[in-house]
Amino acid sequence: MSAQTPAIIPARPQPSDLAAASKPRRRSTASRRNRAAIWFLAPACLMTAVYVLYPIFYTIYLSFFNWDGMMKPEFIGFANYIEMLHAPTFHVALKNNLTWLLLFLLAPPAGLIAALYLNQKVRGIRLIKALFFAPFVLSGVVVGLIFSWFYDPTFGLLTLLLGHGVPVLGDPRYVTFGIIFAALWPQTAYCMILFLTGLTSINVDQVEAARMEGAKGWSMLRYVILPQLRSTTFMAFVVTIIGALRSFDLISVMSSGGPFESSTVLAYYTYDQAIKYYRQGYSAAIAVTLFAIMLIYIVYQLRRLLRDER
């Protein structure tokens, strides 16, 4: 009688063996994901480098040259910046930019008030929202033409309201304020849209809890609503300030920097020197100065926001 051969039972893989086998798979998967991410990001990075970074560095480079756009550039060092600092028009433009900056800060609070009013569920609120939203979809040229007709001292609506003509766009004392008032119309609508979007993410439980504690009105807004709108408020102020510093279209349409360059700003002064007088290097120096002003403010606000988040 032959002996029965015992069955051979395969050994079970140990956990260490499984982990060692899965490591190459995880590495391969991570490598594929990284390559896919790089390919997806490559077009955006390329466009940013070509259309954002290269113009910035080339403008800084060009600001040290005297160039009319056709002949060979001539290196002159800081001569463009020195001339700019001694130009009366530059000081007028800088002063007007500061005026734009201060008055444009009215747009975020006005947009917040409009957003709080429109954030209600009442009959006909959609129509009212559309009316408030309308200025945002209008181009700067259209807004400039509308307010040019509004300020016209012969047949404008302002003349009909006051009973006599006031040359708002023809008087150096009023022209900057008139243009800023026109620019506040679409800017307020833009801030309103930002705050309406922010109000949709408000924590309803916190609001209800605050109401149960007796909070309402200003206390509700200050201690419950506004803290939750911190990032939206930051974005509204940053966009508003950048818009004030780079204001151009309304000035070009409504006054062309006049009368007597009294309403010019740094952005329009840059265009004026480059297009009308073919001073590309001097125009680049003005643009670099404007960029530095905006960059200082943006960096300051970003650091402040990050510090508050921590």
Side-chain angles (χ1 to χ4, degrees):
M1 185 173 179
S2 58
Q4 186 176 2
T5 304
I8 300 175
I9 301 175
R12 293 183 180 181
Q14 298 298 319
S16 59
D17 298 333
L18 293 175
S22 64
K23 283 183 179 180
R25 296 179 182 177
R26 288 200 299 266
R27 290 175 182 174
S28 177
T29 304
S31 178
R32 287 198 301 269
R33 289 178 179 176
N34 292 336
R35 286 198 298 269
I38 291 173
W39 280 111
F40 276 111
L41 290 173
C45 293
L46 180 62
M47 294 185 67
T48 301
V50 172
Y51 295 108
V52 178
L53 298 179
Y54 172 74
I56 290 175
F57 289 110
Y58 184 73
T59 302
I60 297 174
Y61 168 80
L62 187 61
S63 66
F64 298 103
F65 288 82
N66 180 24
W67 187 43
D68 60 0
M70 294 175 285
M71 304 299 292
K72 184 179 179 180
E74 177 188 358
F75 180 77
I76 57 174
F78 290 93
N80 286 325
Y81 292 95
I82 295 173
E83 180 184 354
M84 178 189 67
L85 293 175
H86 289 85
T89 306
F90 172 76
H91 295 283
V92 173
L94 193 61
K95 177 184 175 183
N96 287 336
N97 266 120
L98 181 61
T99 305
W100 273 82
L101 182 61
L102 294 176
L103 295 182
F104 235 48
L105 292 178
L106 296 174
L112 176 61
I113 294 172
L116 292 173
Y117 168 70
L118 295 176
N119 192 40
Q120 304 179 66
K121 294 182 180 180
V122 296
R123 186 176 182 181
I125 196 66
R126 291 185 177 181
L127 176 60
I128 300 176
K129 284 183 178 180
L131 294 176
F132 274 86
F133 179 76
F136 175 68
V137 300
L138 297 177
S139 68
V141 175
V142 174
V143 174
L145 291 175
I146 291 174
F147 276 87
S148 295
W149 296 332
F150 176 78
Y151 292 137
D152 192 284
T154 305
F155 58 84
L157 182 59
L158 182 63
T159 301
L160 297 177
L161 294 175
L162 298 178
H164 59 87
V166 178
V168 176
L169 301 181
D171 194 322
R173 297 173 298 176
Y174 309 135
V175 59
T176 298
F177 298 100
I179 299 174
I180 294 174
F181 179 77
L184 279 172
W185 187 39
Q187 187 64 31
T188 301
Y190 181 63
C191 293
M192 177 202 70
I193 295 169
L194 290 178
F195 283 114
L196 275 176
T197 305
L199 288 172
T200 59
S201 61
I202 290 293
N203 191 326
V204 181
D205 295 335
Q206 292 186 14
V207 175
E208 293 299 329
R211 285 177 179 171
M212 293 178 63
E213 294 293 331
K216 59 181 180 179
W218 170 248
S219 59
M220 173 73 76
L221 178 64
R222 180 180 178 182
Y223 297 107
V224 181
I225 303 298
L226 288 182
Q228 299 185 61
L229 293 177
R230 183 176 299 167
S231 59
T232 304
T233 305
F234 168 77
M235 182 61 64
F237 274 96
V238 168
V239 171
T240 298
I241 290 174
I242 293 176
L245 292 176
R246 65 179 183 88
S247 52
F248 172 82
D249 48 0
L250 289 180
I251 296 171
S252 179
V253 172
M254 299 178 68
S255 68
S256 298
F260 311 113
E261 298 182 335
S262 60
S263 63
T264 189
V265 292
L266 292 177
Y268 189 83
Y269 189 36
T270 303
Y271 156 81
D272 199 44
Q273 293 296 315
I275 303 302
K276 292 184 180 180
Y277 301 105
Y278 302 100
R279 304 191 63 191
Q280 307 297 332
Y282 185 69
S283 173
I286 303 170
V288 170
T289 303
L290 178 59
F291 174 74
I293 295 173
M294 288 193 291
L295 186 63
I296 291 172
Y297 173 77
I298 293 172
V299 170
Y300 168 75
Q301 289 294 340
L302 283 175
R303 291 185 61 184
R304 183 179 177 183
L305 179 64
L306 293 174
R307 186 171 60 249
D308 293 340
E309 289 293 333
R310 292 174 184 174

